[in-house]
Amino acid sequence: MSSYAPPVQRLVSELSKLPGIGTRTAQRLAFHILRASDEDAYALAGAIREVKERIGLCEVCYNLTDEARCRICQDTRRDHGLICVVEEPGDVIPMERTHEYSGVYHVLGGALSPIDGIDPEDLKIAELYARVVDPAAGQPPVREVVLATNPTTTGEATALHIAHELSERAPELTVTRLASGLPVGSDLEYADEVTLGKAFAGRTAL
Ligand SMILES: [Zn+2]
């Protein structure tokens, strides 16, 4: 690796910081980029720069957006009295693919994990309580919160924590959890839409 020219070495070292990319794969990707046309290579660099400059979090649900509010929050045909809570922005996409869901979302930005030092303050949990207890002007009251955190240890712990806190703050609110049937220990992101659609339709009260 030290025999590469410094710019090549730098590219390999940046690529190897990506999840799931070891040094060998990073080298292969670097050589691919070197062989690619200028146009393709600059398009990749430009796309990385553009997402970093233009994409932020929705001020309501904390999903990714290039505007103050994401398209789902702006959509008046969706049911704003139904909130689906997910861990990551990537979890919104499989829920949307099911076509079973017409409510809005709340993206926590992770799951509770005291061992890793991830406490409620590190996630958008207080923001969820605020949405439920005190909806923004013009928004209907929230009737139901569906906890769609991953079926993992941390995802389950997060769902239980939020369900408990919501029952104290909003006793009238219905709080549900996706039905079992999702592969335990895996991420929502990898669930197929049929399984996820069934899990949503069969959600149970907590
Ligand atoms: Zn939003």
Side-chain angles (χ1 to χ4, degrees), residues 58-63 68-74 105:
C58 170
E59 63 184 14
V60 178
C61 74
Y62 302 94
N63 193 5
R69 288 187 182 197
C70 72
R71 284 176 187 80
I72 294 172
C73 286
Q74 284 184 41
Y105 292 91

Side-chain angles (χ1 to χ4, degrees), residues 19 50 93 97 119 145 184 198:
E50 189 180 16
I93 295 150
R97 272 203 308 258
D119 298 314
V145 168
V184 172
K198 278 186 187 157

Side-chain angles (χ1 to χ4, degrees), residues 89-152:
D91 298 330
V92 169
I93 295 150
M95 277 302 291
E96 288 294 287
R97 272 203 308 258
T98 66
H99 301 294
E100 289 273 346
Y101 187 67
S102 59
V104 291
Y105 292 91
H106 191 90
V107 182
L108 296 173
L112 292 175
S113 181
I115 305 169
D116 303 310
I118 302 173
D119 298 314
E121 313 81 76
D122 300 310
L123 305 176
K124 304 292 184 193
I125 289 183
E127 289 81 351
L128 172 66
Y129 302 152
R131 276 180 85 181
V132 170
V133 172
D134 188 19
Q139 295 295 352
V142 177
R143 305 183 316 277
E144 179 179 346
V145 168
V146 186
L147 296 168
T149 50
N150 292 328
T152 54

